[in-house]
Amino acid sequence: MLRATSHAHRIEAEPFGTLTLDSNDRHLRRKLVTTDQDVQVMVDLPAPVLLADGDALILEDGGAIRILAATEELYQVRPGRVPLRHLAWHIGNRHLAAQIDEDRILVRRDHVIRDMLEGLGATVEEVAERFQPVHGAYHSHDHGHAQGHDHGHSHARGAHGHHHD
């Protein structure tokens, strides 16, 4: 059986195959998957990874499997009486997966959310598209924590215990 032990964000070479996954299934670490060409591959990555459309799983033999984002049933949300940033706040406040574009937001279909957004004055339309939600504070990308970096939050204290930022 083929094994994928690493990933890449872009590949130039022609891939061995493709793997079409929805936005939930693109969060991988260890899982048996079947490519679009009906080949089984054991994904065995050192840490969980969120794969985007166009990324690749790298096989032990150096080959690659290109990741394709599946078409999903979504709502396209556009501003009406309120600005897009206001709608984004309400969506984020409910911890919903969202793709935030320049002039619209895409979210998974949920009639309760649709009613809330339309109540705020948004225009909500059903669409079927590839979905690449934004991942914020709760998404685990390693930004140096393992090496002990503190992102510059030194919190130096003066003689009286006050912060001097």
Side-chain angles (χ1 to χ4, degrees):
M1 177 180 304
L2 296 174
R3 286 185 65 219
T5 54
S6 64
H7 75 286
H9 291 297
R10 293 286 172 249
I11 55 168
E12 299 301 320
E14 189 62 30
F16 166 79
T18 57
L19 179 60
T20 303
L21 300 170
D22 70 20
S23 56
N24 287 329
D25 290 338
R26 290 196 308 270
H27 192 256
L28 284 173
R29 182 183 177 277
R30 185 170 165 77
K31 184 178 183 180
L32 182 63
V33 297
T34 303
T35 68
D36 300 334
Q37 294 74 30
D38 209 30
V39 175
Q40 284 196 323
V41 176
M42 174 50 79
V43 178
D44 191 8
L45 303 174
V49 173
L50 181 68
L51 299 164
D53 187 61
D55 285 357
L57 292 170
I58 307 301
L59 302 172
E60 285 179 312
D61 67 5
I65 297 170
R66 180 167 283 129
I67 301 300
L68 302 176
T71 299
E72 300 185 49
E73 303 288 306
L74 307 168
Y75 288 144
Q76 174 177 266
V77 182
R78 294 191 185 271
R81 296 189 305 265
V82 295
L84 195 66
R85 68 181 178 275
H86 187 78
L87 299 172
W89 184 89
H90 281 278
I91 289 167
N93 194 43
R94 285 158 182 83
H95 302 282
L96 300 174
Q99 176 178 322
I100 302 173
D101 295 337
E102 189 81 17
D103 60 346
R104 69 176 188 167
I105 300 171
L106 294 175
V107 294
R108 288 188 186 92
R109 293 185 192 175
D110 176 327
H111 69 91
V112 173
I113 298 305
R114 181 179 193 144
D115 292 347
M116 181 265 300
L117 292 167
E118 288 177 340
L120 292 168
T123 301
V124 181
E125 177 186 353
E126 291 184 359
V127 297
E129 295 185 25
R130 293 176 174 188
F131 186 41
Q132 187 65 48
V134 174
H135 292 274
Y138 302 106
H139 179 60
S140 62
H141 265 304
D142 184 1
H143 293 295
H145 291 294
Q147 292 80 24
H149 295 112
D150 64 2
H151 295 279
H153 302 294
S154 62
H155 302 292
R157 295 183 184 271
H160 302 288
H162 292 41
H163 285 285
H164 295 286
D165 293 302

